[in-house]
Amino acid sequence: MDKLIVLKLDGDCEQGFRCTLKIGENNQFPSTDFTGSENLPPNPELAAFEAEHWLEKYRPLGSHSRRRRHQQNFVHLIYPFLHPNTKKNSAVKSVTTGFSFRIKPKRMSSRPSLNDCKESGEKLAQMMNDWLSSPEFAKVDRMIGDNLNRDEEARVLICTDDKHLQKLPWNRWNLFTERFPNAEPSLSKLNYVKSEIPRKPVRKSLVKILVILGNSAGIDVTKDQKIFENLSNADVRFLVEPKRDEINDQLWEEAWDIIFFAGHGETENDTGKIYINQTDSLTIDELWYGLRKAVNKGLQLAIFNCCDGLGLARNLDDFQMIPQMILMRELVPDFVAQEFLKCFLKEFVDGKSLYAAAREARHRLEGFEDRFPCASWLPIIWQHPAAIPPVWNDFLLPPDSAVAEEVLIAVAAPKRPQVKVFSRWRAVVLASAGCSLAVMGARYLGVLEPVELSMFDRLLGQREPELIDNRLLVVEITDKDASQYGYPQNDATLAVALDKLQKFKPLAIGLNMHRNSAREPGRQKLISLFNNNPNIITICSYSSTDKNFDPAPEFSETQLTNQVSFSNLPKDELGNEKGASVRRQFLSYDPKLSNFANNCKTPNSFSLQLALRFLENQGIKSETTQNQEWRIGDVTFPRLAKRTVGYQNVNASVSQVLLNYRANNPKPAFKVTLQEVLSGKITSDLVKDKIVLIGHTSEVSKDYADTLYGKMPVVWIHTQMVSQILSAVIDKRPLLWVLPQWQGIQWGDAIFVWLVAVTGGLLAGRGRSLLVLTIAGGAMIFVVYQGCMAIMAFGGWMPLVPAVLALVATGGILFLYDRS
């Protein structure tokens, strides 16, 4: 052929198409546009009629002829339209002629006649020609006419992603039927990777052809087989109803010039599939690496002699890797498929070009259109724009050449095993390990800490709600109480409240207020209550230089040990929207090891002191282990290491654990107000044998801290901490735990991150396109997230953020590596 005409149609039938025309000489891909911004006008009617023609006039013909056996003129052309209630996959046969069809059939109730289909086809062709004759397209039409001679052979490559245009009968365009009969249309995607120029055919002594004969239920693929058996100068290998691995092995191990498939095929949800045996089907995604390997070894042509091949082409053409394909754009009768193959191979082997041979075979099908409407419309070439179509002799060495003799010797010699620099698994392992190390290194430096702690809050906050802890009561000093009794309240008011509560015999009362300075009146009475009731516990702060946070100076040494506890909260100073959030719980520290100059020397935290009072009353003993970990009953509270999951610099001198907030319950206990206590409105049932905490919830006190539930009064945070200890020891509610580590090396987290990263590498191997990889990667991230959330329900904090980062990085690197 002398000319290559590339017509790009960018758009859709609703908005119209921007047209770009390129014309090249001597089969070379043109680089200069002949047109500017010409357009084809919108034509939604054409798109609608195209869909109606194929779906309502063409496809149901088989159902009609099968049911009306007495009408001998109606031939069972194709399988019925897909129907969701079909339960059996069986091939369809015409009851009048014995013709079979290369698709698995399903039922349809619509029954148009043969003439209806012919008339519909003529109308579709006329509508297409009317549209292409529009004034907006006149310049494009004129430029083609000015650059072609009537008898000149030419390839007209129509590049579009519009599915309606791909199914139009371009062979019926007046350009081909009236003006340039030696021009032949083909299809291609709108855009392709220009850097991937297809290889030219590798000359051999014989043309290497792989013939795959798939599921043949109800059709006769032996005729296809006989056609190839009779080919000259061809080395043909047949795979009859093979397994997937057999096909894959052939694609990887041999160098093929042509691949051919005959059998059942179809397109569902824009995904083409071929049925390779009675039980298995394959999509192009599942063969992509093998096909790419075949192309790298010289594959030039793939012929899919089965129904509905455009779905195969769209997937197979993801990177425009196969130079040429011949497909059936719709459902094809077995007889038509056989006739096309026979005529095409005869013309092709006799020396005609690929396009000329396809054109001759297609014209031969026109003779069958009295029985098979639109038969000549079915075959279509799907073309890589930069590929030059071969002729048969391009695959063969010149006769009697010295090179041919050398090739024969080389073929006879034993093959050396192929050396692979990186196997697929090795590439996945190396990439995943490298990405995991990089992510864990960034984590070691603290880069990921804010994101990980934020995700920790999110996972904790999405657990199922828990009931309140009925062993606790909180006395809130509200805004109304602060207005009525003043702020801060004097010692007399607190003494009255403590006295009233004490009459109901609580196990412990925790006063979450600093009372270093006297607030008369009532100081003596308040101190007397502490002296006479050792179950009343108050607080101090060990790191403050403000004397107001010291214990009361009236307390004895015994009271400083047994009735005073530190109230410090571990706040994560992070530059995020939650500020200094509380995610951990202090249990104790050794005052002898501290360098604080104040008088708060009590070793136990407020929450631990209150919980131990309750548990000791239950006969549950406590102790500290050699590792300075608290063991209460049979439950050990493992202290946090310096590096714990997202934390990379925990103060290891203080015994602390992660705070397992009661799920979706910021206030996990019964509550009353100070006014209700003072006015005698509470009952014994609320107080007796319980832990009572008293603290400010008023705005004026500003006694709040950030948590995963937002701003929370500090008294309620201490309540959460007391509840955690009681629930872990008595109810066996899980403490938060992490994966194992050794000497500050978080090897458990590293293994988890690496395993997830390996999954990302495997996904990159399966997802040929960026869209497929993105969807698969998103699904995998969702699975990992849901898995981490499920484990969190049992107390496990998994390294979700590093795992997701490693997954994405590994998948992206291998995706780029595979295409480099």
Side-chain angles (χ1 to χ4, degrees), residues 413-684:
K415 295 183 179 180
R416 293 184 179 180
Q418 187 177 14
V419 178
K420 297 181 180 180
V421 178
F422 290 113
S423 68
R424 182 70 206 163
W425 268 104
R426 185 178 299 177
V428 170
V429 170
L430 290 177
S432 59
C435 291
S436 299
L437 287 174
V439 170
M440 295 300 289
R443 182 201 225 195
Y444 186 88
L445 298 175
V447 175
L448 303 182
E449 185 168 330
V451 183
E452 287 200 74
L453 296 184
S454 178
M455 185 57 66
F456 173 65
D457 291 344
R458 183 178 181 85
L459 291 173
L460 275 180
Q462 290 186 334
R463 296 173 301 167
E464 291 294 324
E466 297 179 76
L467 298 175
I468 65 173
D469 193 334
N470 58 13
R471 294 166 294 217
L472 305 174
L473 173 69
V474 174
V475 179
E476 293 186 326
I477 302 176
T478 63
D479 287 314
K480 184 177 179 180
D481 294 329
S483 175
Q484 182 174 354
Y485 303 110
Y487 177 82
Q489 292 75 40
N490 59 43
D491 292 338
T493 301
L494 292 181
V496 173
L498 290 171
D499 188 49
K500 287 181 175 290
L501 290 169
Q502 195 65 30
K503 290 178 181 179
F504 292 122
K505 298 182 179 180
L507 289 179
I509 298 176
L511 184 62
N512 185 44
M513 298 181 191
H514 295 279
R515 309 303 292 189
N516 174 265
S517 302
R519 294 183 175 87
E520 299 291 354
R523 181 66 172 185
Q524 188 59 41
K525 185 178 180 180
L526 180 64
I527 296 300
S528 178
L529 277 171
F530 274 95
N531 293 336
N532 297 327
N533 299 282
N535 66 331
I536 302 177
I537 299 171
T538 188
I539 59 173
C540 63
S541 178
Y542 64 69
S543 59
S544 176
T545 57
D546 189 341
K547 291 297 182 181
N548 288 319
F549 293 99
D550 284 356
E554 297 92 338
F555 284 170
S556 66
E557 288 296 327
T558 301
Q559 286 179 306
L560 289 174
T561 302
N562 298 328
Q563 288 183 265
V564 178
S565 54
F566 67 84
S567 62
N568 300 69
L569 296 177
K571 299 179 181 180
D572 301 323
E573 301 290 347
L574 300 175
N576 59 16
E577 71 280 0
K578 290 191 175 181
S581 190
V582 178
R583 300 180 179 88
R584 293 169 285 139
Q585 174 181 358
F586 286 159
L587 296 179
S588 63
Y589 85 111
D590 188 349
K592 297 178 182 178
L593 300 178
S594 69
N595 55 2
F596 304 123
N598 63 358
N599 294 319
C600 186
K601 302 298 183 180
T602 177
N604 295 341
S605 70
F606 187 42
S607 58
L608 179 65
Q609 194 88 319
L610 290 171
L612 289 179
R613 291 294 179 94
F614 187 96
L615 295 170
E616 287 169 0
N617 185 72
Q618 304 288 322
I620 299 174
K621 297 181 179 181
S622 62
E623 62 178 354
T624 55
T625 66
Q626 292 181 347
N627 296 328
Q628 297 302 307
E629 294 177 339
W630 279 92
R631 183 172 179 80
I632 307 174
D634 58 355
V635 177
T636 300
F637 290 73
R639 62 189 296 165
L640 298 185
K642 181 178 181 180
R643 301 186 185 279
T644 301
V645 194
Y647 287 108
Q648 298 302 309
N649 192 24
V650 172
N651 182 6
S653 65
V654 180
S655 178
Q656 55 185 300
V657 294
L658 293 169
L659 177 53
N660 190 5
Y661 284 90
R662 262 184 130 70
N664 291 308
N665 204 337
K667 296 184 177 182
F670 294 109
K671 63 178 181 177
V672 296
T673 64
L674 178 63
Q675 191 274 334
E676 289 173 327
V677 173
L678 294 175
S679 60
K681 293 182 180 180
I682 62 172
T683 62
S684 174

Side-chain angles (χ1 to χ4, degrees), residues 289-300:
Y289 278 103
L291 286 171
R292 189 178 69 173
K293 187 70 174 180
V295 171
N296 290 338
K297 289 186 174 185
L299 177 64
Q300 293 294 311

Side-chain angles (χ1 to χ4, degrees), residues 122-193:
E122 291 300 322
K123 182 178 178 180
L124 178 61
Q126 186 59 49
M127 290 178 67
M128 180 190 71
N129 278 302
D130 292 344
W131 184 50
L132 295 174
S133 299
S134 59
E136 297 91 335
F137 195 65
K139 182 179 177 181
V140 175
D141 187 270
R142 185 174 64 254
M143 291 299 300
I144 295 175
D146 291 346
N147 284 274
L148 278 184
N149 299 321
R150 177 173 177 80
D151 298 327
E152 189 175 20
E153 289 196 355
R155 293 184 290 140
V156 180
L157 188 58
I158 299 164
C159 302
T160 181
D161 292 333
D162 186 84
K163 296 175 184 177
H164 296 290
L165 263 59
Q166 291 173 355
K167 299 191 80 170
L168 288 180
W170 288 99
N171 57 294
R172 294 291 301 275
W173 186 5
N174 290 339
L175 179 77
F176 304 114
T177 59
E178 298 177 2
R179 298 159 60 192
F180 304 105
N182 290 330
E184 178 70 9
S186 61
L187 295 177
S188 182
K189 291 181 71 173
L190 186 63
N191 299 304
Y192 73 101
V193 181

Side-chain angles (χ1 to χ4, degrees), residues 717-760:
I717 296 177
H718 287 302
T719 305
Q720 291 274 4
M721 294 176 174
V722 175
S723 177
Q724 163 160 275
I725 298 174
L726 298 182
S727 299
V729 175
I730 299 174
D731 305 331
K732 306 307 177 185
R733 179 174 179 261
L735 296 166
L736 293 178
W737 51 269
V738 300
L739 294 174
Q741 59 174 287
W742 178 79
Q743 297 293 318
I745 300 174
Q746 297 174 289
W747 62 266
D749 286 4
I751 291 177
F752 181 89
V753 170
W754 176 71
L755 290 175
V756 175
V758 167
T759 306

